[in-house]
Amino acid sequence: MTRVGGLLPTRADWRQARRSPGRDLIAGLTVAVVALPLALAFGVSSGLGAQAGLATAVVAGALAAVFGGSNLQVSGPTGAMTVVLVPIMRQYGADGVLMVGLLAGVVLVALAVARVGRFARYMPMPVIEGFTAGIAVVIALQQIPAALGVAGATGDRVWQVAADAAARFAGDPRPAAPLMALAVAGAMLVGARYRPAVPFSLLAVVAATVVAQITGLDVARIGALPAGLPAPSLGFADPGAVSALLPPALAVAALAALESLLCASVADAMSVGERHDPDRELFGQGIANLAAPLFGGIPATAAIARTAVNVRSGARSRVSALTHAAVLAVIVFTAGGLVGRIPLAALAGVLLATTVRMVEVGSLRAIARSTRSDAVVMVLTFAVTVALDLVTAVMVGVGVAIVLALRAVARSVRVERVPLEGDQGDAADPAADPAADLAADQDAEERRLLGEHIVAYRFDGPLFFGAAHRFLLELSEVADVRVVILRMSRVSTIDATGASVLGDVITRLERRGITVLLSGIRQGHDQVLAALGIADHLRRDGLVFSDTPAAITCARTLLNPPTGSPLLGDRAKAAI
């Protein structure tokens, strides 16, 4: 009971709501405008229809906001989830999808009670990027039939369905649907580039609907929607089907957990002072997925795009996510007839634009340039995601990443001759300065530095995805310190995930007003950091040093700039 009690909402969750309720209400309204066309599109794409998408956005969005572990996260139907649901819908029908959602909710609650959430931070960055890019391609392929105005396309894999739809369109081309889909996607992409604050997705869908109504275009529509949400029901539940549906339910739960925890981390990084509770986040998603099927909703997870809009709109508390769900509920109860007239091709255009914005080309390019192992893991994860399925892709990606990381660690092991007279610090490392590390390792020197509000940390061994979070994130909690020196000369291996976490720690420390200095970075490791853009601002400001004594001297100078040195004083003022 103690474990469950620690997962329940508390008064502290709503403390931020009292400070700026107006900003939360405006942010929630903004997110609802963005979420409406996405909820409709993902509902249709899943096979259960637009109403299922709206029910998920309302019910799961509200419950995840109350029970989740993040103050800023927005949940609902997502593209990644629809990728998993399409084959389930094809094999088991609508009742099977609802049953899978219910079972996934049970699994997520069990994971939360078991405190499994903290392990998500060990996910390698190349796996995440390859996974995300693969999802974007799969979602785009799913939209090909609707974008071409083709019904009845068949195939075992999503790319086979897309190919069949393209072949049918080539045999009987009708340009209205593809032109509409391209117009909506183009309006979203161009508009977001020049006016990111304007909800072009909603405006484009409204414009496409008006044009279709006025001109009488022969394009498929969503169709009539019942006013309001259906009464909660367990009519879909079939205890005899649990054994058959458990494997897809585990896949749905794994995807919901992965996407939600990644999204919560993104929300933390975009805000100041926010830190989500991973186990509570799993619990909140579990409650949301237990309830959504009762109202005909599809499995839900946190939505990175809607969460990003929420944070950028100035949200401070859970009130914004609740407001988003409430606004969508009003639309469900009052505007079902208008929503039913939206062309399916317009929603396909929304999702095509969404897939383009999902892919961070710069991040993919940076990982490809960082190390060969990271590039292999990313490409392999992407390929398996598109060719097979998401869960298999994550398993393969993580497995290969572990093998390559262990190989890198094994290659980094070396035998060193250590003098018996005493500790020589980094003397065995030719790239390090012996006097620097000998002085820094002595207790007296460390006490003097701490008294000056300076602290130095030395990393020993590999800095890769399996070890990075364990000790690097602890650095962001240091107290009563004004300058932190990160000594990198004894890092034996570094990969994209370790470099990314290092960048996250630097950002967190700097947000608390702490100046970060780096020393002793090896040439090969510097290439990884430079490829990912880690610590570029430190290099520009002259805060990266070849040895530790130079870094200590700089730290002392920054805290106590020499009299009559205006340039150094300005630099110290900017840094401290």
Side-chain angles (χ1 to χ4, degrees), residues 121-132 363-364 366-367 374 377-378 401 465 495-501 532 534:
R121 59 176 175 246
Y122 298 115
M123 185 65 62
M125 185 178 175
V127 173
I128 295 171
E129 293 295 338
F131 176 77
T132 303
S363 180
L364 296 176
I367 292 176
D374 287 332
V377 171
M378 181 180 68
F465 75 90
D495 67 358
T497 307
S500 177
V501 175
L532 295 171
I534 305 300

PDB file of all heavy atoms in Angstrom, residues 121-132 363-364 366-367 374 377-378 401 465 495-501 532 534:
ATOM      1  N   ARG A 121      15.807   5.776 -18.435  1.00  0.00           N
ATOM      2  CA  ARG A 121      16.861   6.728 -18.774  1.00  0.00           C
ATOM      3  C   ARG A 121      18.096   6.060 -19.357  1.00  0.00           C
ATOM      4  O   ARG A 121      19.004   6.743 -19.830  1.00  0.00           O
ATOM      5  CB  ARG A 121      17.253   7.534 -17.532  1.00  0.00           C
ATOM      6  CG  ARG A 121      17.759   6.720 -16.361  1.00  0.00           C
ATOM      7  CD  ARG A 121      18.202   7.650 -15.245  1.00  0.00           C
ATOM      8  NE  ARG A 121      18.581   6.916 -14.047  1.00  0.00           N
ATOM      9  CZ  ARG A 121      17.936   6.958 -12.894  1.00  0.00           C
ATOM     10  NH1 ARG A 121      16.859   7.694 -12.788  1.00  0.00           N
ATOM     11  NH2 ARG A 121      18.351   6.289 -11.851  1.00  0.00           N
ATOM     12  N   TYR A 122      18.142   4.742 -19.332  1.00  0.00           N
ATOM     13  CA  TYR A 122      19.282   4.042 -19.914  1.00  0.00           C
ATOM     14  C   TYR A 122      19.111   3.765 -21.408  1.00  0.00           C
ATOM     15  O   TYR A 122      19.946   3.088 -22.008  1.00  0.00           O
ATOM     16  CB  TYR A 122      19.522   2.718 -19.184  1.00  0.00           C
ATOM     17  CG  TYR A 122      19.869   2.893 -17.727  1.00  0.00           C
ATOM     18  CD1 TYR A 122      19.032   2.438 -16.729  1.00  0.00           C
ATOM     19  CD2 TYR A 122      21.043   3.549 -17.353  1.00  0.00           C
ATOM     20  CE1 TYR A 122      19.344   2.611 -15.386  1.00  0.00           C
ATOM     21  CE2 TYR A 122      21.359   3.731 -16.023  1.00  0.00           C
ATOM     22  CZ  TYR A 122      20.510   3.261 -15.049  1.00  0.00           C
ATOM     23  OH  TYR A 122      20.822   3.443 -13.728  1.00  0.00           O
ATOM     24  N   MET A 123      18.027   4.272 -22.005  1.00  0.00           N
ATOM     25  CA  MET A 123      17.800   4.046 -23.427  1.00  0.00           C
ATOM     26  C   MET A 123      18.842   4.800 -24.256  1.00  0.00           C
ATOM     27  O   MET A 123      19.003   6.010 -24.110  1.00  0.00           O
ATOM     28  CB  MET A 123      16.390   4.520 -23.807  1.00  0.00           C
ATOM     29  CG  MET A 123      16.005   4.218 -25.236  1.00  0.00           C
ATOM     30  SD  MET A 123      15.894   2.446 -25.586  1.00  0.00           S
ATOM     31  CE  MET A 123      14.575   1.992 -24.466  1.00  0.00           C
ATOM     32  N   PRO A 124      19.569   4.117 -25.136  1.00  0.00           N
ATOM     33  CA  PRO A 124      20.595   4.798 -25.937  1.00  0.00           C
ATOM     34  C   PRO A 124      19.985   5.837 -26.871  1.00  0.00           C
ATOM     35  O   PRO A 124      18.935   5.613 -27.480  1.00  0.00           O
ATOM     36  CB  PRO A 124      21.246   3.657 -26.727  1.00  0.00           C
ATOM     37  CG  PRO A 124      20.859   2.404 -26.000  1.00  0.00           C
ATOM     38  CD  PRO A 124      19.542   2.680 -25.381  1.00  0.00           C
ATOM     39  N   MET A 125      20.664   6.958 -27.022  1.00  0.00           N
ATOM     40  CA  MET A 125      20.185   8.034 -27.881  1.00  0.00           C
ATOM     41  C   MET A 125      20.045   7.603 -29.345  1.00  0.00           C
ATOM     42  O   MET A 125      19.058   7.959 -30.006  1.00  0.00           O
ATOM     43  CB  MET A 125      21.125   9.230 -27.756  1.00  0.00           C
ATOM     44  CG  MET A 125      20.684  10.459 -28.514  1.00  0.00           C
ATOM     45  SD  MET A 125      21.830  11.827 -28.252  1.00  0.00           S
ATOM     46  CE  MET A 125      21.124  13.031 -29.392  1.00  0.00           C
ATOM     47  N   PRO A 126      20.997   6.834 -29.930  1.00  0.00           N
ATOM     48  CA  PRO A 126      20.815   6.395 -31.321  1.00  0.00           C
ATOM     49  C   PRO A 126      19.563   5.548 -31.522  1.00  0.00           C
ATOM     50  O   PRO A 126      18.934   5.618 -32.585  1.00  0.00           O
ATOM     51  CB  PRO A 126      22.084   5.578 -31.598  1.00  0.00           C
ATOM     52  CG  PRO A 126      23.096   6.117 -30.649  1.00  0.00           C
ATOM     53  CD  PRO A 126      22.325   6.458 -29.405  1.00  0.00           C
ATOM     54  N   VAL A 127      19.196   4.747 -30.518  1.00  0.00           N
ATOM     55  CA  VAL A 127      17.971   3.957 -30.620  1.00  0.00           C
ATOM     56  C   VAL A 127      16.756   4.881 -30.669  1.00  0.00           C
ATOM     57  O   VAL A 127      15.833   4.697 -31.470  1.00  0.00           O
ATOM     58  CB  VAL A 127      17.860   2.967 -29.445  1.00  0.00           C
ATOM     59  CG1 VAL A 127      16.506   2.261 -29.456  1.00  0.00           C
ATOM     60  CG2 VAL A 127      18.977   1.944 -29.503  1.00  0.00           C
ATOM     61  N   ILE A 128      16.754   5.901 -29.819  1.00  0.00           N
ATOM     62  CA  ILE A 128      15.630   6.829 -29.775  1.00  0.00           C
ATOM     63  C   ILE A 128      15.481   7.567 -31.104  1.00  0.00           C
ATOM     64  O   ILE A 128      14.371   7.685 -31.650  1.00  0.00           O
ATOM     65  CB  ILE A 128      15.823   7.838 -28.623  1.00  0.00           C
ATOM     66  CG1 ILE A 128      15.790   7.106 -27.284  1.00  0.00           C
ATOM     67  CG2 ILE A 128      14.749   8.923 -28.668  1.00  0.00           C
ATOM     68  CD1 ILE A 128      16.184   7.980 -26.115  1.00  0.00           C
ATOM     69  N   GLU A 129      16.589   8.057 -31.645  1.00  0.00           N
ATOM     70  CA  GLU A 129      16.518   8.816 -32.890  1.00  0.00           C
ATOM     71  C   GLU A 129      16.133   7.913 -34.069  1.00  0.00           C
ATOM     72  O   GLU A 129      15.325   8.306 -34.913  1.00  0.00           O
ATOM     73  CB  GLU A 129      17.861   9.498 -33.162  1.00  0.00           C
ATOM     74  CG  GLU A 129      18.214  10.585 -32.168  1.00  0.00           C
ATOM     75  CD  GLU A 129      17.262  11.756 -32.227  1.00  0.00           C
ATOM     76  OE1 GLU A 129      16.599  11.950 -33.274  1.00  0.00           O
ATOM     77  OE2 GLU A 129      17.166  12.499 -31.235  1.00  0.00           O
ATOM     78  N   GLY A 130      16.712   6.727 -34.149  1.00  0.00           N
ATOM     79  CA  GLY A 130      16.348   5.808 -35.218  1.00  0.00           C
ATOM     80  C   GLY A 130      14.908   5.353 -35.121  1.00  0.00           C
ATOM     81  O   GLY A 130      14.193   5.246 -36.127  1.00  0.00           O
ATOM     82  N   PHE A 131      14.455   5.126 -33.899  1.00  0.00           N
ATOM     83  CA  PHE A 131      13.076   4.742 -33.615  1.00  0.00           C
ATOM     84  C   PHE A 131      12.119   5.849 -34.072  1.00  0.00           C
ATOM     85  O   PHE A 131      11.115   5.604 -34.741  1.00  0.00           O
ATOM     86  CB  PHE A 131      12.984   4.495 -32.113  1.00  0.00           C
ATOM     87  CG  PHE A 131      11.619   4.187 -31.592  1.00  0.00           C
ATOM     88  CD1 PHE A 131      11.055   2.943 -31.757  1.00  0.00           C
ATOM     89  CD2 PHE A 131      10.901   5.134 -30.873  1.00  0.00           C
ATOM     90  CE1 PHE A 131       9.800   2.655 -31.245  1.00  0.00           C
ATOM     91  CE2 PHE A 131       9.661   4.854 -30.358  1.00  0.00           C
ATOM     92  CZ  PHE A 131       9.098   3.611 -30.548  1.00  0.00           C
ATOM     93  N   THR A 132      12.421   7.102 -33.713  1.00  0.00           N
ATOM     94  CA  THR A 132      11.555   8.227 -34.055  1.00  0.00           C
ATOM     95  C   THR A 132      11.487   8.424 -35.567  1.00  0.00           C
ATOM     96  O   THR A 132      10.406   8.647 -36.133  1.00  0.00           O
ATOM     97  CB  THR A 132      12.057   9.514 -33.383  1.00  0.00           C
ATOM     98  OG1 THR A 132      12.119   9.305 -31.972  1.00  0.00           O
ATOM     99  CG2 THR A 132      11.138  10.682 -33.683  1.00  0.00           C
ATOM    100  N   SER A 363      19.949  16.255 -35.873  1.00  0.00           N
ATOM    101  CA  SER A 363      20.297  15.284 -34.841  1.00  0.00           C
ATOM    102  C   SER A 363      20.723  13.958 -35.462  1.00  0.00           C
ATOM    103  O   SER A 363      21.694  13.333 -35.012  1.00  0.00           O
ATOM    104  CB  SER A 363      19.100  15.070 -33.910  1.00  0.00           C
ATOM    105  OG  SER A 363      19.398  14.135 -32.905  1.00  0.00           O
ATOM    106  N   LEU A 364      20.013  13.517 -36.503  1.00  0.00           N
ATOM    107  CA  LEU A 364      20.390  12.279 -37.178  1.00  0.00           C
ATOM    108  C   LEU A 364      21.782  12.401 -37.790  1.00  0.00           C
ATOM    109  O   LEU A 364      22.609  11.485 -37.698  1.00  0.00           O
ATOM    110  CB  LEU A 364      19.372  11.947 -38.268  1.00  0.00           C
ATOM    111  CG  LEU A 364      17.939  11.640 -37.808  1.00  0.00           C
ATOM    112  CD1 LEU A 364      17.041  11.424 -39.002  1.00  0.00           C
ATOM    113  CD2 LEU A 364      17.905  10.424 -36.902  1.00  0.00           C
ATOM    114  N   ALA A 366      24.166  14.407 -36.853  1.00  0.00           N
ATOM    115  CA  ALA A 366      25.172  14.500 -35.800  1.00  0.00           C
ATOM    116  C   ALA A 366      25.516  13.123 -35.242  1.00  0.00           C
ATOM    117  O   ALA A 366      26.693  12.809 -35.022  1.00  0.00           O
ATOM    118  CB  ALA A 366      24.670  15.413 -34.687  1.00  0.00           C
ATOM    119  N   ILE A 367      24.509  12.290 -35.003  1.00  0.00           N
ATOM    120  CA  ILE A 367      24.767  10.940 -34.485  1.00  0.00           C
ATOM    121  C   ILE A 367      25.529  10.116 -35.517  1.00  0.00           C
ATOM    122  O   ILE A 367      26.440   9.350 -35.175  1.00  0.00           O
ATOM    123  CB  ILE A 367      23.450  10.252 -34.097  1.00  0.00           C
ATOM    124  CG1 ILE A 367      22.835  10.945 -32.883  1.00  0.00           C
ATOM    125  CG2 ILE A 367      23.674   8.780 -33.794  1.00  0.00           C
ATOM    126  CD1 ILE A 367      21.495  10.396 -32.484  1.00  0.00           C
ATOM    127  N   ASP A 374      27.436   4.229 -33.018  1.00  0.00           N
ATOM    128  CA  ASP A 374      26.162   4.940 -32.884  1.00  0.00           C
ATOM    129  C   ASP A 374      25.427   4.990 -34.215  1.00  0.00           C
ATOM    130  O   ASP A 374      24.198   4.841 -34.272  1.00  0.00           O
ATOM    131  CB  ASP A 374      26.402   6.363 -32.368  1.00  0.00           C
ATOM    132  CG  ASP A 374      26.782   6.387 -30.900  1.00  0.00           C
ATOM    133  OD1 ASP A 374      26.373   5.471 -30.167  1.00  0.00           O
ATOM    134  OD2 ASP A 374      27.503   7.316 -30.480  1.00  0.00           O
ATOM    135  N   VAL A 377      23.821   1.551 -34.885  1.00  0.00           N
ATOM    136  CA  VAL A 377      22.643   1.317 -34.044  1.00  0.00           C
ATOM    137  C   VAL A 377      21.459   2.130 -34.553  1.00  0.00           C
ATOM    138  O   VAL A 377      20.326   1.629 -34.635  1.00  0.00           O
ATOM    139  CB  VAL A 377      22.962   1.673 -32.580  1.00  0.00           C
ATOM    140  CG1 VAL A 377      21.691   1.650 -31.729  1.00  0.00           C
ATOM    141  CG2 VAL A 377      23.982   0.707 -32.008  1.00  0.00           C
ATOM    142  N   MET A 378      21.679   3.385 -34.899  1.00  0.00           N
ATOM    143  CA  MET A 378      20.594   4.244 -35.366  1.00  0.00           C
ATOM    144  C   MET A 378      19.991   3.722 -36.669  1.00  0.00           C
ATOM    145  O   MET A 378      18.760   3.616 -36.805  1.00  0.00           O
ATOM    146  CB  MET A 378      21.101   5.672 -35.556  1.00  0.00           C
ATOM    147  CG  MET A 378      20.036   6.653 -36.007  1.00  0.00           C
ATOM    148  SD  MET A 378      20.693   8.322 -36.218  1.00  0.00           S
ATOM    149  CE  MET A 378      21.781   8.065 -37.648  1.00  0.00           C
ATOM    150  N   ALA A 401      23.349  -2.098 -29.302  1.00  0.00           N
ATOM    151  CA  ALA A 401      24.055  -1.043 -28.576  1.00  0.00           C
ATOM    152  C   ALA A 401      24.839  -1.613 -27.398  1.00  0.00           C
ATOM    153  O   ALA A 401      25.972  -1.199 -27.126  1.00  0.00           O
ATOM    154  CB  ALA A 401      23.072   0.021 -28.098  1.00  0.00           C
ATOM    155  N   PHE A 465      26.017   4.930 -22.852  1.00  0.00           N
ATOM    156  CA  PHE A 465      24.610   4.982 -22.456  1.00  0.00           C
ATOM    157  C   PHE A 465      24.317   4.187 -21.193  1.00  0.00           C
ATOM    158  O   PHE A 465      23.422   4.528 -20.429  1.00  0.00           O
ATOM    159  CB  PHE A 465      23.714   4.484 -23.602  1.00  0.00           C
ATOM    160  CG  PHE A 465      23.727   2.986 -23.790  1.00  0.00           C
ATOM    161  CD1 PHE A 465      22.821   2.190 -23.130  1.00  0.00           C
ATOM    162  CD2 PHE A 465      24.641   2.383 -24.646  1.00  0.00           C
ATOM    163  CE1 PHE A 465      22.813   0.811 -23.311  1.00  0.00           C
ATOM    164  CE2 PHE A 465      24.638   1.015 -24.834  1.00  0.00           C
ATOM    165  CZ  PHE A 465      23.732   0.227 -24.161  1.00  0.00           C
ATOM    166  N   ASP A 495      30.096   7.819 -26.019  1.00  0.00           N
ATOM    167  CA  ASP A 495      29.222   7.659 -27.174  1.00  0.00           C
ATOM    168  C   ASP A 495      28.229   8.807 -27.210  1.00  0.00           C
ATOM    169  O   ASP A 495      28.296   9.736 -26.408  1.00  0.00           O
ATOM    170  CB  ASP A 495      28.506   6.297 -27.151  1.00  0.00           C
ATOM    171  CG  ASP A 495      27.510   6.160 -26.003  1.00  0.00           C
ATOM    172  OD1 ASP A 495      27.394   7.094 -25.186  1.00  0.00           O
ATOM    173  OD2 ASP A 495      26.837   5.119 -25.933  1.00  0.00           O
ATOM    174  N   ALA A 496      27.293   8.754 -28.150  1.00  0.00           N
ATOM    175  CA  ALA A 496      26.354   9.858 -28.342  1.00  0.00           C
ATOM    176  C   ALA A 496      25.487  10.075 -27.113  1.00  0.00           C
ATOM    177  O   ALA A 496      25.189  11.214 -26.749  1.00  0.00           O
ATOM    178  CB  ALA A 496      25.480   9.594 -29.571  1.00  0.00           C
ATOM    179  N   THR A 497      25.068   8.989 -26.448  1.00  0.00           N
ATOM    180  CA  THR A 497      24.223   9.135 -25.270  1.00  0.00           C
ATOM    181  C   THR A 497      24.993   9.766 -24.126  1.00  0.00           C
ATOM    182  O   THR A 497      24.495  10.676 -23.451  1.00  0.00           O
ATOM    183  CB  THR A 497      23.664   7.770 -24.844  1.00  0.00           C
ATOM    184  OG1 THR A 497      23.031   7.148 -25.963  1.00  0.00           O
ATOM    185  CG2 THR A 497      22.661   7.934 -23.719  1.00  0.00           C
ATOM    186  N   GLY A 498      26.220   9.305 -23.889  1.00  0.00           N
ATOM    187  CA  GLY A 498      27.026   9.906 -22.831  1.00  0.00           C
ATOM    188  C   GLY A 498      27.293  11.369 -23.091  1.00  0.00           C
ATOM    189  O   GLY A 498      27.222  12.207 -22.178  1.00  0.00           O
ATOM    190  N   ALA A 499      27.594  11.713 -24.354  1.00  0.00           N
ATOM    191  CA  ALA A 499      27.823  13.115 -24.695  1.00  0.00           C
ATOM    192  C   ALA A 499      26.556  13.938 -24.503  1.00  0.00           C
ATOM    193  O   ALA A 499      26.597  15.075 -24.010  1.00  0.00           O
ATOM    194  CB  ALA A 499      28.309  13.216 -26.144  1.00  0.00           C
ATOM    195  N   SER A 500      25.414  13.367 -24.873  1.00  0.00           N
ATOM    196  CA  SER A 500      24.149  14.090 -24.722  1.00  0.00           C
ATOM    197  C   SER A 500      23.823  14.348 -23.259  1.00  0.00           C
ATOM    198  O   SER A 500      23.373  15.434 -22.882  1.00  0.00           O
ATOM    199  CB  SER A 500      23.018  13.293 -25.378  1.00  0.00           C
ATOM    200  OG  SER A 500      21.779  13.929 -25.191  1.00  0.00           O
ATOM    201  N   VAL A 501      24.046  13.347 -22.405  1.00  0.00           N
ATOM    202  CA  VAL A 501      23.794  13.525 -20.974  1.00  0.00           C
ATOM    203  C   VAL A 501      24.765  14.544 -20.386  1.00  0.00           C
ATOM    204  O   VAL A 501      24.398  15.359 -19.531  1.00  0.00           O
ATOM    205  CB  VAL A 501      23.896  12.179 -20.231  1.00  0.00           C
ATOM    206  CG1 VAL A 501      23.754  12.371 -18.736  1.00  0.00           C
ATOM    207  CG2 VAL A 501      22.828  11.231 -20.735  1.00  0.00           C
ATOM    208  N   LEU A 532      27.997  16.516 -31.974  1.00  0.00           N
ATOM    209  CA  LEU A 532      26.679  16.683 -31.360  1.00  0.00           C
ATOM    210  C   LEU A 532      26.458  18.101 -30.845  1.00  0.00           C
ATOM    211  O   LEU A 532      25.400  18.389 -30.262  1.00  0.00           O
ATOM    212  CB  LEU A 532      26.512  15.685 -30.211  1.00  0.00           C
ATOM    213  CG  LEU A 532      26.497  14.214 -30.624  1.00  0.00           C
ATOM    214  CD1 LEU A 532      26.544  13.311 -29.405  1.00  0.00           C
ATOM    215  CD2 LEU A 532      25.258  13.907 -31.455  1.00  0.00           C
ATOM    216  N   ILE A 534      27.935  19.575 -28.367  1.00  0.00           N
ATOM    217  CA  ILE A 534      28.022  19.635 -26.906  1.00  0.00           C
ATOM    218  C   ILE A 534      29.138  20.582 -26.498  1.00  0.00           C
ATOM    219  O   ILE A 534      30.263  20.476 -26.971  1.00  0.00           O
ATOM    220  CB  ILE A 534      28.276  18.227 -26.308  1.00  0.00           C
ATOM    221  CG1 ILE A 534      27.201  17.243 -26.784  1.00  0.00           C
ATOM    222  CG2 ILE A 534      28.318  18.297 -24.791  1.00  0.00           C
ATOM    223  CD1 ILE A 534      25.795  17.623 -26.398  1.00  0.00           C
TER     224      ILE A 534
END
